[in-house]
Amino acid sequence: MQTAPSSAQEPALAQPAPIRRLLSLDALRGFDMFWIMGGEEIFHVLARTTGWAWAVLMADQFTHVAWNGYRPYDNIFPLFLFLAGVSTPYSLGSRLARGHNRAALARKVIQRGLILVLLGVIYNNGLFVKPFAELRFPSVLGRIGLAGMFAQLIYLYVRNERSRYALFAGILLGYWAWLVLIPVPGAGAAGSLTMEGSWVGYVDRLLVPGRLHKGIHDPEGLLSTLPAIGTAMLGIFAGTLLHRRDVSDRFKLQWLVLAGVVCLALGWLWNLVFPVNKNLWTSSFVLVAGGWSFLMLALFYWIIDIQDSRRWAFFFVVIGTNSILIYLAGEVIDFEHAAHYLFGGLLAFFSEPVRALGGVLAFLAVKWGFLYVLYRQKLFLRV
């Protein structure tokens, strides 16, 4: 951890913070991270303790689809990767404009990507040595590191924007063709998209060392990292638009909304022949998740940066400026114990539903308070 003396400090690439800060980006990242750090438990607790129909419905939306399909909770991870892409034109683009060496920037991108892979392995397995066969190497941080790294390298070396769009389309179409048109050895005819019979699981079992999260398949495995590069590239396209100074805010907003609607339409149309599937990170899933990410970014950009309504966003900004740290901190800090120590006596006077809900809110309050202290001290984890 290091001290960030001023807002002019150059941002990290893996968890970016633009030099000219786009507040909506930090707020949306914080909004996304709020659910990862435990916010979804609010609905799960209400559903369990009250049985209210609306709480049960919301709790269901905050679970992952078992295989094919989509729920809002499935968008949390790709949104985080999308936002890492949004900041790339602010960080890398600004450095290139100041004359930084392209190869030196590429080395930093690769270094930070590999550090995130290492942090992901530590997050999965802890700091203590385990037998090699019990280690899980794929991870959420690893996917962010690798997919973000390759997307940023494309940004650095593919200078023509149209060529980037063509490469994005090529990645999605190539992944579709690989999974649907090429038979998996020993699995019969081509086109099997099951956990057991898809190319994704086959490559994981063949090449990924250690254990897989689901035994025969890993949702953050090797092959499905390829279309995840497309998710980060969608963010780069959005960031390139927002970084432009020759167009109005209204123009940017209109194109963000249009991009979101087009991605959603194409994604659900493709779903008819290539199902939306987060576990496989299918090309249709990239478009559906990207469509919602565009629309959420448009909403936050309109409210915060265009309408200048900012005070409400502070809660999420505090989370968003240290999102990687709070993701990792839960592995070494017992926030639940701290919440019980601080609030357990007070909650004991209430009924079970209130105690359960209060416990979740206390847990979130302790986490947010921890981040607020770091924010006030200008302490941020930079990878």
Side-chain angles (χ1 to χ4, degrees), residues 9-68:
Q9 180 178 356
E10 288 189 349
L13 298 179
Q15 189 214 314
I19 294 170
R20 294 185 61 190
R21 298 193 74 84
L22 193 64
L23 191 64
S24 55
L25 177 58
D26 281 333
L28 182 53
R29 189 189 297 115
F31 175 80
D32 192 39
M33 194 67 210
F34 172 76
W35 305 109
I36 298 174
M37 66 187 246
E40 82 284 355
E41 276 300 311
I42 295 172
F43 299 111
H44 291 301
V45 165
L46 285 173
R48 287 195 305 268
T49 59
T50 68
W52 293 336
W54 69 268
V56 173
L57 175 63
M58 290 300 297
D60 185 60
Q61 296 304 306
F62 277 88
T63 60
H64 291 300
V65 172
W67 195 244
N68 292 336

Side-chain angles (χ1 to χ4, degrees), residues 35-363:
W35 305 109
I36 298 174
M37 66 187 246
E40 82 284 355
E41 276 300 311
I42 295 172
F43 299 111
H44 291 301
V45 165
L46 285 173
R48 287 195 305 268
T49 59
T50 68
W52 293 336
W54 69 268
V56 173
L57 175 63
M58 290 300 297
D60 185 60
Q61 296 304 306
F62 277 88
T63 60
H64 291 300
V65 172
W67 195 244
N68 292 336
Y70 172 87
R71 294 189 187 122
Y73 199 58
D74 294 319
N75 215 97
I76 288 178
F77 181 12
L79 175 60
F80 199 91
L81 181 53
F82 175 90
L83 294 176
V86 172
S87 67
T88 297
Y90 289 85
S91 54
L92 288 182
S94 298
R95 294 177 187 185
L96 288 172
R98 296 199 301 271
H100 285 227
N101 181 269
R102 199 176 299 270
L105 290 176
R107 286 194 295 271
K108 291 181 179 179
V109 166
I110 294 171
Q111 175 185 329
R112 287 162 178 162
L114 295 179
I115 288 173
L116 279 176
V117 172
L118 177 61
L119 288 175
V121 174
I122 294 172
Y123 180 87
N124 282 345
N125 304 287
L127 294 172
F128 300 102
V129 177
K130 294 181 179 179
F132 188 82
E134 295 181 12
L135 295 175
R136 182 189 173 212
F137 289 91
S139 67
V140 169
L141 289 179
R143 171 149 298 177
I144 293 171
L146 291 176
M149 178 185 76
F150 284 114
Q152 289 168 343
L153 291 174
I154 290 170
Y155 178 83
L156 280 174
Y157 288 104
V158 181
R159 305 185 190 185
N160 183 278
E161 195 168 354
R162 289 186 178 179
S163 298
R164 293 175 192 159
Y165 283 110
L167 185 55
F168 167 77
I171 289 172
L172 296 195
L173 290 170
Y175 187 66
W176 163 77
W178 189 341
L179 264 60
V180 172
L181 303 180
I182 304 175
V184 177
S192 174
L193 297 178
T194 64
M195 187 180 299
E196 301 83 0
S198 74
W199 268 106
V200 175
Y202 177 80
V203 170
D204 285 348
R205 295 190 295 272
L206 185 67
L207 299 178
V208 177
R211 67 179 178 87
L212 303 178
H213 184 57
K214 297 190 176 183
I216 58 174
H217 165 85
D218 200 297
E220 284 80 51
L222 188 61
L223 183 59
S224 55
T225 299
L226 178 63
I229 298 170
T231 299
M233 291 183 71
L234 284 175
I236 288 175
F237 299 151
T240 300
L241 172 66
L242 293 175
H243 195 238
R244 289 178 61 180
R245 299 182 181 179
D246 60 331
V247 295
S248 67
D249 288 338
R250 182 174 295 275
F251 177 89
K252 295 175 183 178
L253 180 64
Q254 289 172 344
W255 276 96
L256 286 175
V257 172
L258 178 61
V261 171
V262 169
C263 282
L264 284 171
L266 291 176
W268 285 116
L269 184 63
W270 208 346
N271 173 68
L272 298 176
V273 294
F274 194 32
V276 172
N277 185 304
K278 179 181 179 294
N279 276 274
L280 300 176
W281 213 279
T282 54
S283 305
S284 54
F285 174 77
V286 171
L287 292 175
V288 170
W292 284 115
S293 298
F294 272 115
L295 293 177
M296 292 181 70
L297 179 60
L299 178 63
F300 274 65
Y301 182 67
W302 175 67
I303 295 173
I304 296 173
D305 293 304
I306 295 180
Q307 299 298 315
D308 201 31
S309 176
R310 297 173 174 240
R311 294 184 64 180
W312 68 272
F314 179 72
F315 176 85
F316 295 118
V317 170
V318 169
I319 302 172
T321 51
N322 245 331
S323 52
I324 296 291
L325 184 143
I326 197 59
Y327 183 79
L328 294 170
E331 296 300 301
V332 294
I333 300 175
D334 193 343
F335 291 106
E336 188 173 359
H337 177 78
H340 180 75
Y341 177 80
L342 292 173
F343 300 101
L346 177 63
L347 293 173
F349 293 100
F350 295 93
S351 62
E352 170 57 24
V354 176
R355 285 201 307 273
L357 179 59
V360 173
L361 296 177
F363 173 75

